[in-house]
Amino acid sequence: MSKKEFFREMGRTALTFDDVRLQTGYSRVPPQQVNLESKFSRNIPLKIPLVSAAMDTVTEYQMAIALAMEGGLGILHRNLSKKEQAKQVARVKNRLNALNGLKDKPITVQEEMTIEQILQMKHRKDFHFDSFPVLDENRKLVGILTGNDFDLCDDYTLTAKAVMKTDLITVPTGTPFEKAYELMKKESKKAIPIINKTGELVGLYVHKDLKAIKDGTAKKYNVDNKGNLRVGAAVGVGEDAFERCELLLQKGVDVIVIDTAHSDTLSAIQTVEELKRKYSVDLVVGNISQPESARRLINAGADGIKVGQGGGSICTTRVVSGYGRPQVTAIYCCAELARQFDIPVCADGGLRYSGDIPIAIGAGAHSVMMGKLFAGTDEAPEDIIYYQGRQWKKFRGMGSMSAMRESKGSRDRYNQSEKEEDLVPEGVDTLVPYKGSLHATIVQHLGGLRSGMGAVGAANIEELQQKADFDRITQSGQTESHPHDVHIIEEAPNYSPGR
Ligand code: XMP
């Protein structure tokens, strides 16, 4: 039975991840060799089909940088002020250049700053690097501070001038990165400033970035055609969208996500039309769960559709408001429609295990957006909390009481009033176990996806969308799918019961 017949037979019964499993077939595809490239929207490619949720406990610039370096895409949330959101776009875009390794806006310090002031700035601005070119009052390069200078300094009242290295190795503008890399090795330098003819600092080569280009690691980064990491940002509708877009585009944002709980509305459609008239940027619009909603948004100009209503781990929309649609059926129906227009679909929310990724894509999605599965990583914004002997990170719904209380972005997403006593939350505040690095989490997610693709015989994302067929499973089938009748004695990195 084809997927089409399967869903036709299901009629009005809407299914979600736990209700189905992929059927296996003859496969000539080793999981290690599958191609995971996909698209988030018409013009925004992905090297892996993973996108991080525009949630304030999930995606700020650290997550966006780390995920783009894995090949995916982060969507900066809209509880950030307009200015801060645009600043964070700039931080992602300026993080590195994967084509020529050049940092053309290096962070510098003044020679009269004390080491203490520099360390405080580093902490305040969350800079995770130690190489700072030092400038004099005429903004001329006079030295450089590196990790060793900070580590070996035991008097933080000393100025940069007193501690910095002045035996500078510099290269002139236009020096290719290969040459700079060789020079770094020869001179044992981790950073080499680039100066112009008049001695002004115009850029910096950093060893780590050049090494990633040399050893091929940078090939997996999701970068724009200038070599900068890709990043998306969430906006609301109406004024909020127009004001944010202007600032975000100035900083080079790659894709705008119009982010509301229900997007098949007059205001969202008018916002899409207006933004498409003004700008040439890709717009992904969501969330929806019905194919006719997808049609209206695509007709208005959407370059991508985001599907998911009430399925998120922290959502209470379905129980508070009574609407929403189980995710596999929602993805399938919207993707069938969007396919006619060649518009990618992102499946947003509700994924609990890595096995839900091939199911979402098998149902027709081009990418999956995840909140909970990325919350708890080092790159998620919150600090680690110690509670009942374990490490956790805070994770909350954008429609939770605390998020709405604190932020207009959250109140707007759920059409709420400004008065606290009138707030009606559609999400909850939670803790999730601390998970370590995003990279380690992604290894598990992609391992699961590859394994699923191999078993279906799909060599790439498009083949998975086409070849995937589903079985409807029963409650006992679901019980059988999980470890059963055993006592787990060692936690697996990709499984815990009742996640
Ligand atoms: P997961 O399951 O990956 O879901 O954690 C993330 C997605 O959930 C949506 N979201 C919410 N939905 N109330 C809702 O009904 C909320 O408070 C809320 N916060 C986030 C959002 O689409 C996100 O990407």
Side-chain angles (χ1 to χ4, degrees):
M1 184 194 289
S2 73
K3 190 157 54 195
K4 201 170 192 164
E5 287 160 352
F6 171 83
F7 280 102
R8 193 179 302 134
E9 196 164 278
M10 284 298 131
R12 281 288 175 106
T13 306
L15 305 175
T16 194
F17 298 111
D18 279 353
D19 297 323
V20 296
R21 289 297 104 176
L22 290 163
Q23 291 182 350
T24 55
Y26 172 66
S27 178
R28 302 168 63 138
V29 184
Q32 309 79 4
Q33 285 173 20
V34 299
N35 181 340
L36 299 180
E37 286 177 14
S38 191
K39 272 181 171 190
F40 181 56
S41 61
R42 205 193 293 263
N43 300 296
I44 299 297
L46 299 167
K47 294 207 169 151
I48 60 171
L50 308 185
V51 181
S52 65
M55 297 173 72
D56 58 9
T57 47
V58 179
T59 310
E60 293 191 349
Y61 66 93
Q62 305 94 321
M63 176 65 74
I65 289 172
L67 187 51
M69 287 173 79
E70 296 290 340
L73 185 73
I75 309 298
L76 299 169
H77 68 88
R78 68 183 179 99
N79 282 355
L80 293 165
S81 70
K82 299 178 179 86
K83 266 195 176 159
E84 179 58 26
Q85 195 185 29
K87 231 160 112 182
Q88 294 209 7
V89 167
R91 261 187 106 149
V92 182
K93 299 307 286 181
N94 296 334
R95 166 63 186 78
L96 55 82
N97 188 299
L99 299 181
N100 60 21
L102 177 68
K103 219 177 250 315
D104 58 2
K105 289 178 193 140
I107 305 291
T108 58
V109 295
Q110 287 297 317
E111 61 179 354
E112 295 306 333
M113 283 175 82
T114 63
I115 297 300
E116 179 160 17
Q117 285 172 327
I118 297 169
L119 289 174
Q120 276 171 358
M121 173 193 78
K122 198 169 162 252
H123 178 71
R124 204 175 50 247
K125 302 210 167 169
D126 197 25
F127 291 145
H128 290 269
F129 48 85
D130 291 315
S131 297
F132 295 93
V134 184
L135 305 182
D136 69 9
E137 56 189 14
N138 300 317
R139 299 203 54 78
K140 246 199 153 132
L141 179 70
V142 288
I144 190 160
L145 286 170
T146 60
N148 273 357
D149 301 317
F150 291 105
D151 292 346
L152 301 176
C153 175
D154 47 19
D155 180 357
Y156 287 1
T157 63
L158 291 173
T159 59
K161 192 175 179 178
V163 176
M164 69 190 185
K165 296 275 181 320
T166 51
D167 57 335
L168 279 176
I169 302 282
T170 61
V171 291
T173 319
T175 306
F177 78 85
E178 292 91 343
K179 208 165 159 192
Y181 187 68
E182 290 311 314
L183 195 60
M184 281 175 178
K185 281 204 293 195
K186 189 165 150 237
E187 302 288 345
S188 297
K189 298 282 179 197
K190 286 209 160 165
I192 293 191
I194 304 159
I195 52 169
N196 66 13
K197 281 190 184 129
T198 54
E200 281 165 333
L201 177 77
V202 290
L204 189 71
Y205 279 130
V206 177
H207 180 261
K208 203 161 64 174
D209 295 346
L210 299 197
K211 188 162 184 290
I213 300 177
K214 291 287 283 181
D215 69 16
T217 309
K219 285 210 178 90
K220 72 172 191 180
Y221 298 170
N222 187 8
V223 294
D224 61 24
N225 49 20
K226 290 191 202 130
N228 300 316
L229 297 173
R230 286 201 165 95
V231 61
V235 303
V237 294
E239 272 317 292
D240 179 85
F242 305 134
E243 289 169 18
R244 279 182 192 267
C245 269
E246 194 68 43
L247 294 175
L248 293 165
L249 286 164
Q250 280 168 18
K251 301 295 180 191
V253 75
D254 295 274
V255 54
I256 299 284
V257 175
I258 297 182
D259 173 46
T260 64
H262 177 53
S263 275
D264 187 7
T265 60
L266 181 64
S267 56
I269 286 172
Q270 284 174 340
T271 303
V272 176
E273 287 169 346
E274 181 66 22
L275 288 178
K276 284 313 277 186
R277 253 195 302 277
K278 269 181 107 171
Y279 306 110
S280 62
V281 67
D282 266 21
L283 293 182
V284 170
V285 194
N287 283 9
I288 55 156
S289 56
Q290 295 291 343
E292 283 312 308
S293 301
R295 186 192 299 280
R296 276 185 283 274
L297 294 177
I298 292 168
N299 284 341
D303 303 287
I305 293 296
K306 197 148 67 69
V307 173
Q309 293 191 305
S313 57
I314 33 48
C315 300
T316 53
T317 291
R318 290 196 197 152
V319 287
V320 168
S321 311
Y323 77 85
R325 198 172 202 202
Q327 191 64 340
V328 169
T329 297
I331 298 166
Y332 172 76
C333 294
C334 294
E336 277 290 289
L337 186 291
R339 203 157 50 92
Q340 297 167 23
F341 300 86
D342 207 14
I343 292 292
V345 162
C346 174
D348 176 14
L351 290 95
R352 297 165 67 216
Y353 296 96
S354 58
D356 295 338
I357 303 172
I359 290 177
I361 296 172
H366 295 71
S367 64
V368 294
M369 176 174 271
M370 306 195 293
K372 191 201 154 196
L373 291 183
F374 286 152
T377 60
D378 286 324
E379 290 77 1
E382 296 293 322
D383 291 332
I384 296 173
I385 292 170
Y386 291 85
Y387 176 65
Q388 294 190 336
R390 286 196 72 166
Q391 292 176 301
W392 308 81
K393 275 195 161 198
K394 203 168 109 182
F395 175 51
R396 67 178 182 188
M398 290 295 273
S400 66
M401 200 61 190
S402 72
M404 284 201 194
R405 213 183 283 127
E406 285 166 32
S407 171
K408 183 165 172 2
S410 274
R411 292 193 293 276
D412 288 351
R413 192 176 198 268
Y414 296 91
N415 290 307
Q416 298 275 317
S417 103
E418 294 295 308
K419 282 204 238 148
E420 183 169 340
E421 63 271 25
D422 291 343
L423 293 177
V424 181
E426 291 194 21
V428 291
D429 277 86
T430 67
L431 293 177
V432 288
Y434 167 63
K435 297 193 189 92
S437 75
L438 177 76
H439 175 72
T441 290
I442 284 185
V443 166
Q444 297 303 325
H445 295 329
L446 296 186
L449 171 59
R450 286 175 191 282
S451 170
M453 290 172 74
V456 169
N460 54 46
I461 296 296
E462 202 183 327
E463 280 189 21
L464 179 57
Q465 291 168 332
Q466 283 164 5
K467 289 189 176 175
D469 280 319
F470 295 109
D471 277 328
R472 166 89 168 95
I473 64 169
T474 60
Q475 180 61 49
S476 34
Q478 204 197 111
T479 305
E480 186 188 62
S481 304
H482 287 258
H484 51 87
D485 309 310
V486 291
H487 183 73
I488 297 176
I489 54 168
E490 188 176 332
E491 259 182 66
N494 55 358
Y495 183 81
S496 68
R499 247 164 200 243

